[in-house]
Amino acid sequence: MKNKRIAALIRKDLREIGGTKMVMIPMIVVPLIMALVIPVAIILTLALGSTDMLNGVEQMEKLIPVYPVPERITELPQQLLYIFLNYTFLPLFLIIPLMISSIIAANSVVGEKERGTLETLLYTPVTNREFILGKLLGAFLPGVLMTFPAFLLYAAVANGLSWHFFGTLTVTSPVWIPALLLLSPGVALLGLGVTLLVSIKAKTFMEAQQVSAMVVLPLVAMMLAQISGLLIFSPLYLVIIALVLLMGDYLLVVKLIPRFNREAVLARL
Amino acid sequence: MKAIATNHLAKQYDQGAMALADLSLEVEEGTVFGFLGPNGAGKTTTVRILNGTLTPTSGSFTLFSRQTDPQDIRLLSGTLSETARMYEGLSALDNLKFFGSLYDLDTREIEKRGRMLLEKLGLKGREEDKVGTYSTGMKKRVQLARTLLHQPKLLFLDEPTSGLDPEAAGEVSELIRTVAREEGTTVFLCTHNLPMAEKICDQVGFLDRGHLVAFGTREELTARLGKGKVLEITVRSSEGRGDDIIYHPVNEESEINRHLRAAMDRGGIILESKLQRPGMEELYFSYVGGKNEK
């Protein structure tokens, strides 16, 4: 296996991403919405309106004791804010890398088929392993790397506004550490693996994207579980989930490589 | 040395279609071999088997007298197909740098050889422009540069002149011949361009519905048909019916005058006469079938 070939594939894919609107728009718009719009909307509602303006507040009030809210936060609006910004919306920062990586992966494989360049690639000495790893990393890196600046923006905006209106910092839970460093890459890889498997068989980008979008569903379930208080993900819980997920990802990649059959792929072109 | 030697090669696809049946041929190293046949004859299937992409259903083949692993085949060969494309969002040079790196070429080497090839193919001054801005013919020429970049021992070219104007097609044909002669590259050429095949191929094979119906040099194929030279006479009818073209096989030169006299005796005016041997088109239609002017 030649790392130089994998690096060449990644560089080429990253250059192509820059020129593809269907990929660039979600890559920029989605993190911006998550990082800016959500904290601004919630904080301004609580600061300038009242807690009654938020849906389901009564149920949330009952759940406050379940969440690990710091003792320094005693007022109801700040407690709700802490729960929303650290727990309810945490899964959104797993959706960012998952969605970006999956869109890139779908575009990069199916896009190659649609543009006629996959056949050209198949005639080169790139091995199946190099091709899969190149596509995986070429999609994984932008997705995961976009998450960190998105989170920093989110934390800066949220903490800035909550300090301004409530005199307290809110995005401070240690749950973000395993979420961003372990779970986020693990989820992104899972989504990528599924997307690549689908893309190898799909004929168009839309087809690949529609199927791979279903990978988001477990994260939506996670979000609902956190909102309802059914499951509160502690840092340790997230570390365990992330490690199991990463082991599963490794097996998925190992299974994925032999499935890439040049002959079968060419026959479908 | 035989660059390519196939032994009863056959390919049946999953859907049951028999794309190739019992193909046995040999191609000498450093020659240009023309593989001709109608659409669906099995030419592309043959190329994909020989370039290591498809597995034959039965039979075997060697390249340069060795059973070669598909990975090694891809390192020593280059393939230009009708449907394969370059990255249109990248410039010609960036495309060559990318593909060159997949063949483990040094960056400086790629740049130097890439620019040289693009200049030879008439693309000097357009190296930094995106391939998406090129005409069809220019895109084809960049593809050819890509296949030649790593100096392959074996080239598979599928319709390399399609989409090119006659001048560009002629330049590409000449480049293919030069590459074979000067660099010793063996060229396996699939084409419908019979004049090009006639001009540059050392040997040809005619494929029809997966079967090799003829194989050899032009002289061997002509002799096998029992065809020698042909006298072509263009005659204007005295009865106002227009011009006719008459063909007469000629074994000895003394027969020429007899045929010319016969045409004049019929009251026609001889506009032109020429002695020719069967062209590639005539050989093709004789072996593969289709119209054959008499």
Side-chain angles (χ1 to χ4, degrees):
Chain A
M1 189 168 73
K2 303 245 178 174
N3 291 334
K4 206 176 148 189
R5 287 189 202 140
I6 297 173
L9 280 165
I10 293 169
R11 270 198 310 272
K12 189 269 300 170
D13 279 352
L14 290 177
R15 285 189 72 167
E16 284 206 296
I17 286 164
T20 313
K21 278 190 195 146
M22 264 200 298
V23 172
M24 287 304 289
I25 289 170
M27 256 181 85
I28 293 166
V29 168
V30 170
L32 267 179
I33 291 172
M34 309 276 195
L36 280 179
V37 173
I38 289 169
V40 167
I42 298 284
I43 293 170
L44 289 182
T45 303
L46 287 172
L48 303 175
S50 71
T51 54
D52 296 334
M53 291 170 77
L54 291 174
N55 220 1
V57 165
E58 283 157 13
Q59 282 83 9
M60 288 297 292
E61 264 187 86
K62 289 176 196 165
L63 291 174
I64 287 172
V66 177
Y67 287 89
V69 178
E71 283 174 9
R72 60 180 169 84
I73 300 176
T74 53
E75 300 293 324
L76 178 63
Q78 289 93 309
Q79 288 173 333
L80 289 174
L81 200 58
Y82 186 88
I83 292 167
F84 277 129
L85 293 178
N86 288 287
Y87 291 93
T88 311
F89 294 121
L90 183 145
L92 294 179
F93 284 87
L94 304 179
I95 290 175
I96 291 175
L98 172 64
M99 206 183 68
I100 291 173
S101 301
S102 298
I103 288 173
I104 294 172
N107 181 67
S108 102
V109 176
V110 178
E112 297 250 22
K113 280 191 212 179
E114 286 178 331
R115 294 189 292 271
T117 50
L118 184 60
E119 188 183 346
T120 319
L121 261 184
L122 294 181
Y123 292 147
T124 68
V126 165
T127 64
N128 293 350
R129 184 184 297 266
E130 288 161 358
F131 179 81
I132 293 294
L133 287 177
K135 289 299 175 189
L136 265 175
L137 289 171
F140 176 73
L141 291 172
V144 168
L145 292 176
M146 279 300 287
T147 311
F148 293 109
F151 171 74
L152 288 174
L153 183 62
Y154 173 84
V157 167
N159 283 332
L161 284 174
S162 63
W163 182 265
H164 175 75
F165 287 108
F166 302 108
T168 183
L169 299 176
T170 41
V171 181
T172 55
S173 170
V175 80
W176 288 105
I177 299 171
L180 291 173
L181 295 179
L182 289 176
L183 194 58
S184 162
V187 164
L189 263 176
L190 172 69
L192 263 181
V194 169
T195 304
L196 274 178
L197 266 172
V198 168
S199 297
I200 285 165
K201 295 217 160 128
K203 284 195 173 5
T204 64
F205 173 60
M206 294 307 288
E207 189 187 329
Q209 203 184 7
Q210 277 159 17
V211 176
S212 64
M214 292 198 291
V215 180
V216 172
L217 294 177
L219 293 176
V220 172
M222 183 182 170
M223 198 166 155
L224 292 171
Q226 294 239 97
I227 291 171
S228 64
L230 195 64
L231 278 173
I232 311 298
F233 294 101
S234 67
L236 179 63
Y237 204 164
L238 288 181
V239 169
I240 295 168
I241 296 175
L243 290 175
V244 169
L245 200 54
L246 286 167
M247 275 194 310
D249 289 339
Y250 174 74
L251 289 171
L252 179 64
V253 172
V254 164
K255 282 272 180 208
L256 185 60
I257 289 166
R259 273 180 160 255
F260 185 73
N261 181 322
R262 267 172 149 94
E263 186 161 339
V265 168
L266 258 182
R268 279 194 286 272
L269 287 178
Chain B
M1 188 198 288
K2 306 288 180 213
I4 302 172
T6 72
N7 185 27
H8 304 293
L9 215 52
K11 178 66 181 176
Q12 183 170 25
Y13 288 109
D14 288 342
Q15 300 83 5
M18 195 74 190
L20 198 62
D22 197 22
L23 179 74
S24 296
L25 55 77
E26 290 177 341
V27 179
E28 285 291 334
E29 188 176 357
T31 62
V32 180
F33 177 76
F35 205 41
L36 314 176
N39 292 333
K43 302 189 299 295
T44 303
T45 299
T46 306
V47 166
R48 286 180 177 177
I49 291 173
L50 295 176
N51 75 5
T53 314
L54 294 182
T55 313
T57 308
S58 61
S60 63
F61 67 95
T62 57
L63 299 181
F64 304 100
S65 304
R66 286 185 299 143
Q67 295 267 349
T68 319
D69 175 75
Q71 184 63 5
D72 291 334
I73 295 175
R74 289 192 276 271
L75 276 165
L76 64 84
S77 69
T79 303
L80 187 157
S81 82
E82 264 199 297
T83 45
R85 301 272 180 271
M86 303 285 270
Y87 294 95
E88 301 212 340
L90 303 180
S91 69
L93 206 52
D94 284 340
N95 264 282
L96 295 183
K97 284 177 184 170
F98 168 64
F99 284 105
S101 63
L102 300 183
Y103 286 93
D104 307 328
L105 297 179
D106 177 68
T107 316
R108 268 177 297 190
E109 195 185 337
I110 299 170
E111 173 106 27
K112 187 179 164 193
R113 186 160 166 85
R115 285 187 185 278
M116 182 271 291
L117 283 167
L118 291 173
E119 185 177 343
K120 255 189 183 173
L121 287 157
L123 292 170
K124 189 176 179 181
R126 296 294 307 267
E127 304 94 332
E128 314 287 351
D129 294 340
K130 286 188 182 168
V131 171
T133 63
Y134 285 8
S135 66
T136 308
M138 290 166 76
K139 287 179 189 175
K140 184 64 67 120
R141 282 183 265 165
V142 174
Q143 284 269 31
L144 193 55
R146 174 191 56 79
T147 55
L148 295 171
L149 190 64
H150 60 292
Q151 294 177 280
K153 287 178 74 174
L154 181 52
L155 261 185
F156 296 103
L157 304 178
D158 196 345
E159 298 296 350
T161 58
S162 70
L164 300 183
D165 59 52
E167 194 183 340
E171 285 168 2
V172 165
S173 300
E174 200 45 48
L175 179 63
I176 293 168
R177 188 155 58 176
T178 305
V179 154
R181 298 273 179 271
E182 293 179 7
E183 298 187 18
T185 305
T186 307
V187 180
F188 191 94
L189 171 69
C190 299
T191 186
H192 292 130
N193 187 335
L194 298 178
M196 180 178 87
E198 185 168 335
K199 194 175 160 193
I200 67 171
C201 292
D202 300 299
Q203 274 190 314
V204 293
F206 296 133
L207 196 71
D208 188 21
R209 282 170 283 194
H211 294 269
L212 186 70
V213 296
F215 164 74
T217 62
R218 193 172 153 194
E219 286 70 27
E220 287 166 353
L221 292 173
T222 305
R224 233 171 276 152
L225 272 182
K227 286 183 181 255
K229 293 178 188 167
V230 173
L231 178 66
E232 179 188 302
I233 311 171
T234 307
V235 181
R236 177 156 293 163
S237 162
S238 56
E239 291 159 23
R241 282 185 319 219
D243 299 342
D244 290 322
I245 301 176
I246 305 165
Y247 295 92
H248 290 288
V250 168
N251 293 316
E252 291 171 6
E253 285 177 359
S254 57
E255 294 174 37
I256 296 173
N257 282 348
R258 181 163 57 80
H259 292 305
L260 289 171
R261 233 177 272 120
M264 286 192 299
D265 287 345
R266 282 195 287 274
I269 300 167
I270 294 175
L271 296 176
E272 187 184 3
S273 72
K274 48 186 174 184
L275 191 64
Q276 57 190 23
R277 57 185 177 140
M280 192 61 70
E281 187 173 339
E282 195 183 336
L283 286 174
Y284 177 83
F285 287 117
S286 295
Y287 280 103
V288 175
K291 74 177 175 154
N292 185 5
E293 286 181 348
K294 278 255 332 173

